[in-house]
Amino acid sequence: IIFQDFEGSNWTWDPVAEAYYWHRFYRHQPDLNFDSPRVHEELLRVLDFWLSMGVDGLRLDAIPYLYEREGTNCENLPETHAFLKKLRAHVDEHYSNRVLLAEANQWPEDAVAYFGDGDECHTAFHFPVMPRLFMALRMEDRFPIIDILEQTPSIPETCQWLMFLRNHDELTLEMVTDEERDYMYRVYTQDPRARINLGIRRRLAPLLENHMKKLELMNTLLFSLPGSPVVYYGDEIGMGDNYYLGDRDGVRTPMQWSPDRNAGFSQVNPQKLFLPVIIDPEYQYEVLNVENQERNVSSLLWWTRTAIAVRKRYKAFGRGSMEFVSGDNAHVLAFVREYEDERILVIANLSKYTQMAQFNLAEYAGTTPVDVFSQNRLLEVRESPYGVTLGPYAYHWLALEKEKDSMSDSSTADLLELSVAGDWMSVLDSSRGFAGQALPAYLRSSRWFGGKARTIRRVEIVDSLPVTSDGSTAYLLILEVKYSEGAADTYLLPVAYAGQDKGTMLLEEFPRSAIARLQVDGEQGLLYDALYDEEFRQALFAMIAGDTTVEGRSGQLVAYRGKALDLPVSDGAATKRSRVLTAEQSNSAVLYDESHFFKLFRRLEEGINPDLEVEKFLTEQTNFEGVPPFAGALEFRRPQAEPIAMGLLQSFVPNSGDAWSLFQQFVTRYFERILSKPEEIEKAPRLPSSLFTISMDTIPPQLLETIGVPSLDMAALLGQRTGEMHIALASSPVDPAFRPEPFSTLYQRSLYQSMRTQVRRTLQTLKQHIPKLSEQVSGDVEQIVNMEDEILHRLNQVTQRKIACDKIRIHGDYHLGQVLYTGKDFVIIDFEGEPAVSIGERRLKRSSVRDVAGMVRSFHYAAYGPLRLPSPIRPEDAPALEPWADLWFSYVSGVFLNAYQTTVEGKPFVPDKEGFEILTQVHLLQKAIYELNYELNNRPDWLAIPIKGIQQILEKT
């Protein structure tokens, strides 16, 4: 048994070796051999001494050779295993959470014996994997890795392999063939002096030619292969070695902490060091050290920390099964780690060139790969081969996530089977089969259906509107969904029929489109959501472009174009290729030729849809260019009734994602800059006394650099665009839907009353849920519940003085996710408002400050999200970063507010300074209370963020 070196020391002590030496010295004394009670008693005494001091684990050095027996090579003797069982029993009896690690440099089938039946060692090094990782990288071939892991037997559930790339010895080549050893020597040891015993005495970075992408790739494989990864000190910063020192000392040089004397390892005279520090020009300690790399967020140290933090979020990496994925490119390795409901697809390009690979992922069809580092979503996995292009030495960790409420979650074999004679459309009249069974099942499986928590009593087809294309007809069904309790809902569902060949293709490509199997005169076919049909989508576009009207049973489908749709009517949609976007929520979206974006409203309400209304107004009656231009719409119109919006067509705005993603990147880089200065992390500057006094000119220069000028510039630009949006919305003195209306004291009182009602209902709900909440948030929630009177008092400020300004139409659900970033500017989208409230309520005129407060709260989420939600920030760093999150939020939101006020200064809808501050504070508090209720019902893990916001607001005077 040999102890791993303590950090900062250069000594080891080997009590078992000492006992073994006793055995050799006294081996001619029959009463004093290794199995004698005296030797065992002494060994256990030494073991107890160290374990009682808190040592967590012991490495059993060269354990296969513990016993000698004449006539054998002394490897893997039964006596060794008998002794290990005795040792393990002693540890288990007297200590908890202690580890015995077997250093058994054996082939996998031999090394696994040292786990016993879970009653010998807890862990063991997997030696044969290490050289094969290096072989695979140099050969640019996945075979060596797959071959050795397929030879690895299963191990007891309570045991674990330890995986490593390098350690304090040489890169051992004992567990390879002679030919493989010769290959490794040729490609990894240009200088024969780097060889020792049957191995190579080099550190990781010199072995990989200090190639950053290779270092990342090899560590990625280390962190994702089955077992617990072991990182040898110095490899996390890419330390060099000095094989001229002899023996194995070249990879045991002092850790390089800083550019100070002796690399910060020791302050003694350099001649007194047990081993000298590295002075090789490429790895010289004054340049390559922890202190320097902590300041550089692009360093290997930062990458390693991020990778470890991400790995810790997924149990599948530590405990999951492993299954290799077959692919057509031998340069690319792919496998899936799976544990409970987690599935991680690992892909690694072992080549120095860009590679294209296709994988058979049919088993995971219907899942969506999500990059675990960026949380970006890739194309959905289908039955057909899944193609991926990877750059040199590139890698992916992709979480295969199922869409919780999609058809892909259930087998298409469970589809209801119906049959009709004559025309397939006659199935629409089947109240029992189609409307009674197939429609309720399909609605419950659809992501856009909002009544999943309610019991469906009946689904009725209110109207069916034909949409014809190339001789085939689909129908827009208006469905009334009646529940066992509460009011009914109305939904829109396009339905079409496909014969056997096309139906099979739809089941493979778009399994969530399937509604029911349908036999027409004995021929098998499929009823499906017609939005997944290219011809149907083209027909919709053609109807809008051609100002088409279609008669239904109870009303008309009216399609009309906007001024932004400049296609000649004759063009129709013949050249418009389209695809359904997968990121649907309450609606469905279609992209036409990267030129137009169509939103199909799934839940229908009578009345003018604010999204359609506001988009059309801003496009055709104002000069505001910060929205996607209105290009057309679909409406259902009935006599003596308000129209029902079914679809909205807009010009497509090329973009780089939404503002939420942009500011998340800003915040993550900001935190990395803070963490790169560990000596300053506890010295967060004082927060500004008020958000309303901040501007770019008032921020100290050192804070400008720390926070990041780009994030402040973007916040200012967003404030300007928000102000310009409100100016445009208030620009019509004639149109009654957009004509500004004055505040009144009566409105101020009603505003307080609505806030009061919301607060009391939310706090009552929270009070009931406190026992169900985690310990982390239950105390904070209880504190907020007990502060009901203080919260109401703060909100009542809105009634304490006359606020002179106008009410106008506003966005209504304004946050960073509702803003697209084009690469240089912002475009505001989705004026639909909060989907939980009625259309009439969403069209009410309100204070523009409500939108402003919504965006400030969104900045708060952006600031605190990385500290509490899955992100590259390590959980242990979060407490130290909280004051810095306060700082970022204060200055970024302050700059946003200042830019907004500057833009709208003097406009009638803006109150005076005091009134603006009052309205901002009460709307911030009201919004945070709303968020508290929303997170409680939808995302309990996010509760901490609105809780923090409420606490901060109440702390302000």
Side-chain angles (χ1 to χ4, degrees):
I1 300 174
I2 188 168
F3 297 89
Q4 296 281 38
D5 295 356
F6 290 99
E7 190 174 277
S9 68
N10 279 295
W11 53 270
T12 59
W13 182 60
D14 193 337
V16 172
E18 182 179 341
Y20 182 68
Y21 296 150
W22 295 344
H23 162 53
R24 290 182 63 98
F25 187 78
Y26 297 111
R27 62 184 173 184
H28 299 297
Q29 300 185 29
D31 63 333
L32 197 63
N33 58 47
F34 191 81
D35 275 332
S36 70
R38 175 182 169 185
V39 173
H40 283 196
E41 180 181 346
E42 182 66 15
L43 171 62
L44 295 179
R45 184 185 68 79
V46 173
L47 199 70
D48 290 338
F49 173 80
W50 286 103
L51 294 181
S52 63
M53 289 183 66
V55 171
D56 291 317
L58 305 174
R59 179 172 65 88
L60 311 188
D61 185 58
I63 194 63
Y65 305 96
L66 185 61
Y67 275 79
E68 278 188 341
R69 185 196 295 169
E70 298 295 337
T72 72
N73 63 0
C74 304
E75 284 187 3
N76 310 320
L77 297 178
E79 298 95 308
T80 297
H81 293 287
F83 176 75
L84 286 178
K85 292 180 187 293
K86 182 177 180 180
L87 191 70
R88 170 69 178 271
H90 178 82
V91 172
D92 287 349
E93 180 182 356
H94 296 90
Y95 306 97
S96 61
N97 299 323
R98 307 302 169 90
V99 175
L100 297 179
L101 163 61
E103 190 203 35
N105 190 355
Q106 305 280 305
W107 289 96
E109 61 269 22
D110 296 324
V112 75
Y114 290 90
F115 294 119
D117 295 321
D119 57 355
E120 294 187 29
C121 294
H122 302 83
T123 61
F125 283 126
H126 198 314
F127 278 92
V129 167
M130 174 179 61
R132 283 163 179 81
L133 288 170
F134 289 93
M135 287 168 55
L137 183 67
R138 201 57 181 251
M139 296 167 65
E140 301 186 4
D141 192 320
R142 65 193 177 199
F143 176 79
I145 299 174
I146 295 175
D147 182 55
I148 196 63
L149 289 175
E150 286 182 343
Q151 295 181 57
T152 302
S154 60
I155 61 177
E157 188 176 349
T158 56
C159 299
Q160 181 69 296
W161 290 110
L162 292 190
M163 314 297 271
F164 62 103
L165 296 175
R166 291 297 301 109
N167 62 17
H168 61 286
D169 292 339
E170 70 274 12
L171 192 165
T172 178
L173 300 177
E174 289 181 279
M175 296 301 116
V176 296
T177 66
D178 291 343
E179 294 81 3
E180 290 170 337
R181 186 180 303 113
D182 178 70
Y183 175 79
M184 288 288 288
Y185 279 148
R186 281 190 290 107
V187 298
Y188 282 109
T189 58
Q190 287 76 22
D191 187 343
R193 284 171 291 189
R195 305 176 188 179
I196 184 175
N197 302 326
L198 290 179
I200 303 170
R201 48 180 177 180
R202 302 302 308 267
R203 275 187 172 274
L204 181 62
L207 278 168
L208 300 180
E209 300 163 315
N210 206 19
H211 193 299
M212 184 67 175
K213 294 300 293 182
K214 289 183 181 180
L215 288 166
E216 289 182 9
L217 176 62
M218 290 290 275
N219 278 293
T220 297
L221 292 174
L222 171 67
F223 294 154
S224 53
L225 290 176
S228 295
V230 177
V231 178
Y232 184 48
Y233 83 91
D235 283 350
E236 71 274 28
I237 63 171
M239 264 182 64
D241 54 39
N242 183 2
Y243 54 80
Y244 295 102
L245 293 177
D247 196 36
R248 297 159 168 172
D249 290 343
V251 296
R252 299 177 179 180
T253 56
M255 180 64 185
Q256 295 169 193
W257 295 107
S258 72
D260 297 335
R261 183 175 184 168
N262 298 325
F265 179 82
S266 171
Q267 292 301 311
V268 301
N269 185 317
Q271 295 188 124
K272 292 184 178 181
L273 289 177
F274 187 80
L275 292 172
V277 295
I278 298 296
I279 57 173
D280 182 301
E282 187 173 3
Y283 302 98
Q284 214 262 359
Y285 72 88
E286 291 183 344
V287 176
L288 186 73
N289 56 69
V290 173
E291 184 178 304
N292 287 351
Q293 291 206 6
E294 281 188 331
R295 291 195 176 100
N296 179 8
V297 296
S298 299
S299 66
L300 179 61
L301 176 60
W302 270 100
W303 180 90
T304 306
R305 284 177 171 173
T306 300
I308 292 173
V310 170
R311 183 189 188 275
K312 285 184 176 181
R313 298 208 310 261
Y314 297 92
K315 294 181 180 179
F317 282 123
R319 306 184 182 187
S321 62
M322 179 181 186
E323 182 177 347
F324 289 105
V325 176
S326 60
D328 62 349
N329 189 333
H331 298 300
V332 180
L333 172 72
F335 53 87
V336 173
R337 302 296 311 280
E338 185 170 356
Y339 181 76
E340 295 180 345
D341 58 347
E342 289 182 3
R343 285 179 290 189
I344 310 294
L345 171 63
V346 179
I347 306 175
N349 179 15
L350 303 170
S351 171
K352 57 179 169 293
Y353 300 114
T354 299
Q355 298 290 335
M356 168 68 187
Q358 289 189 318
F359 303 104
N360 179 13
L361 297 176
E363 180 182 350
Y364 308 103
T367 61
T368 301
V370 179
D371 185 270
V372 301
F373 290 92
S374 66
Q375 297 300 306
N376 290 332
R377 305 176 76 83
L378 278 63
L379 292 177
E380 183 180 284
V381 176
R382 299 175 181 172
E383 296 284 346
S384 54
Y386 193 84
V388 178
T389 301
L390 301 102
Y393 304 118
Y395 54 87
H396 289 304
W397 281 352
L398 302 172
L400 300 177
E401 295 184 356
K402 285 189 175 182
E403 301 296 345
K404 295 181 181 179
D405 300 311
S406 69
M407 282 296 294
S408 59
D409 289 342
S410 58
S411 172
T412 54
D414 297 332
L415 287 174
L416 183 69
E417 295 194 6
L418 306 172
S419 63
V420 294
D423 198 327
W424 77 266
M425 278 86 82
S426 59
V427 76
L428 304 182
D429 300 325
S430 171
S431 59
R432 177 174 297 180
F434 181 64
Q437 295 176 271
L439 286 180
Y442 185 70
L443 290 173
R444 280 192 293 265
S445 69
S446 300
R447 287 179 291 181
W448 41 261
F449 180 63
K452 297 182 183 67
R454 304 169 70 183
T455 302
I456 297 177
R457 184 164 55 89
R458 188 170 66 253
V459 178
E460 295 180 358
I461 300 176
V462 175
D463 209 333
S464 55
L465 304 162
V467 177
T468 303
S469 61
D470 293 338
S472 62
T473 301
Y475 287 86
L476 287 170
L477 301 185
I478 300 177
L479 308 176
E480 185 177 35
V481 184
K482 296 183 178 180
Y483 306 99
S484 57
E485 293 182 358
D489 287 331
T490 304
Y491 280 90
L492 178 64
L493 177 63
V495 173
Y497 171 76
Q500 186 169 9
D501 292 342
K502 185 175 180 179
T504 302
M505 182 275 293
L506 286 165
L507 286 174
E508 292 177 353
E509 296 292 322
F510 307 108
R512 69 164 61 97
S513 70
I515 299 174
R517 299 184 190 275
L518 178 63
Q519 281 192 7
V520 181
D521 293 333
E523 181 183 346
Q524 185 69 50
L526 182 74
L527 282 174
Y528 65 98
D529 185 332
L531 194 67
Y532 290 90
D533 183 76
E534 174 81 19
E535 293 178 357
F536 174 79
R537 297 193 296 268
Q538 289 186 3
L540 287 182
F541 192 93
M543 290 174 65
I544 295 173
D547 295 325
T548 308
T549 298
V550 175
E551 295 292 335
R553 294 199 304 263
S554 60
Q556 294 178 325
L557 173 64
V558 178
Y560 60 93
R561 58 193 295 181
K563 293 180 180 179
L565 186 60
D566 54 2
L567 281 176
V569 174
S570 59
D571 281 3
T575 60
K576 288 290 178 185
R577 297 196 59 80
S578 61
R579 58 186 173 92
V580 180
L581 302 184
T582 58
E584 63 180 41
Q585 296 178 2
S586 57
N587 303 308
S588 297
V590 175
L591 186 61
Y592 289 97
D593 264 354
E594 307 290 332
S595 64
H596 290 86
F597 174 87
F598 178 73
K599 181 190 295 184
L600 184 76
F601 297 116
R602 292 289 190 167
R603 186 167 181 264
L604 305 180
E605 288 187 74
E606 189 174 291
I608 300 174
N609 187 291
D611 199 6
L612 187 156
E613 180 186 29
V614 173
E615 293 272 3
K616 184 178 179 181
F617 172 79
L618 291 176
T619 299
E620 300 185 351
Q621 297 189 43
T622 75
N623 296 320
F624 182 58
E625 298 181 351
V627 293
F630 172 76
L634 290 176
E635 290 184 348
F636 182 63
R637 297 177 183 175
R638 294 173 295 179
Q640 299 180 340
E642 289 191 285
I644 298 176
M646 289 183 166
L648 170 64
L649 183 68
Q650 303 165 290
S651 295
F652 175 68
V653 178
N655 62 84
S656 304
D658 57 27
W660 170 259
S661 300
L662 175 68
F663 279 92
Q664 282 286 280
Q665 294 172 18
F666 286 147
V667 173
T668 301
R669 288 199 289 266
Y670 164 72
F671 285 148
E672 289 175 347
R673 285 196 295 273
I674 301 303
L675 291 172
S676 68
K677 304 173 183 177
E679 70 281 0
E680 300 179 15
I681 196 169
E682 304 294 338
K683 306 174 185 177
R686 286 187 62 181
L687 297 177
S689 58
S690 170
L691 300 182
F692 303 98
T693 59
I694 297 172
S695 68
M696 291 288 283
D697 298 333
T698 62
I699 302 177
Q702 65 272 22
L703 283 184
L704 278 174
E705 181 181 351
T706 301
I707 297 171
V709 174
S711 61
L712 295 168
D713 285 342
M714 289 296 103
L717 180 60
L718 185 55
Q720 178 185 339
R721 294 291 178 258
T722 305
E724 292 169 352
M725 173 186 71
H726 287 151
I727 292 172
L729 288 170
S731 63
S732 175
V734 178
D735 188 339
F738 291 90
R739 184 172 56 235
E741 298 173 0
F743 257 52
S744 65
T745 53
L746 182 62
Y747 174 74
Q748 290 176 229
R749 182 62 181 79
S750 69
L751 179 62
Y752 166 69
Q753 185 63 38
S754 65
M755 291 180 173
R756 175 187 173 89
T757 301
Q758 176 199 339
V759 167
R760 299 203 64 189
R761 286 179 175 173
T762 299
L763 296 186
Q764 287 174 7
T765 303
L766 281 172
K767 189 173 183 179
Q768 296 172 359
H769 281 78
I770 287 176
K772 305 175 186 177
L773 298 175
S774 66
E775 294 182 4
Q776 294 177 316
V777 298
S778 58
D780 290 329
V781 170
E782 187 172 8
Q783 181 186 26
I784 289 173
V785 169
N786 294 334
M787 296 181 71
E788 178 178 334
D789 292 341
E790 173 64 16
I791 292 172
L792 295 177
H793 173 71
R794 294 294 183 92
L795 294 176
N796 195 37
Q797 293 180 32
V798 78
T799 68
Q800 300 305 301
R801 69 184 290 271
K802 178 71 172 69
I803 298 178
C805 65
D806 288 343
K807 297 182 294 179
I808 63 171
R809 290 293 294 274
I810 62 172
H811 186 284
D813 188 23
Y814 198 48
H815 54 79
L816 290 168
Q818 305 285 43
V819 181
L820 298 179
Y821 178 58
T822 67
K824 60 180 180 180
D825 209 337
F826 293 110
V827 174
I828 302 166
I829 61 172
D830 199 355
F831 288 82
E832 195 173 356
E834 295 177 3
V837 301
S838 67
I839 278 184
E841 187 175 341
R842 284 182 256 163
R843 295 183 68 223
L844 292 175
K845 293 166 186 170
R846 306 179 186 275
S847 167
S848 65
V849 178
R850 180 168 173 152
D851 278 349
V852 174
M855 187 57 69
V856 171
R857 288 294 310 139
S858 194
F859 281 128
H860 189 266
Y861 267 69
Y864 287 92
L867 303 185
R868 290 179 167 83
L869 309 173
S871 77
I873 301 301
R874 299 184 304 172
E876 55 266 34
D877 291 328
L881 288 174
E882 282 219 4
W884 293 93
D886 292 339
L887 189 77
W888 187 92
F889 163 67
S890 298
Y891 280 101
V892 170
S893 56
V895 167
F896 167 81
L897 284 170
N898 178 266
Y900 176 81
Q901 290 178 286
T902 301
T903 303
V904 300
E905 186 175 6
K907 300 299 179 182
F909 60 83
V910 184
D912 60 19
K913 182 178 181 293
E914 184 179 354
F916 184 84
E917 292 187 12
I918 290 174
L919 284 177
T920 303
Q921 293 288 359
V922 298
H923 278 299
L924 282 173
L925 185 54
Q926 180 264 340
K927 181 68 174 176
I929 295 291
Y930 167 84
E931 292 163 354
L932 202 60
N933 186 58
Y934 179 86
E935 305 302 3
L936 178 68
N937 293 315
N938 295 278
R939 302 180 299 191
D941 292 343
W942 293 48
L943 267 173
I945 297 179
I947 287 173
K948 178 75 173 179
I950 294 170
Q951 291 172 337
Q952 289 179 328
I953 294 167
L954 295 179
E955 288 170 1
K956 299 290 184 182
T957 58

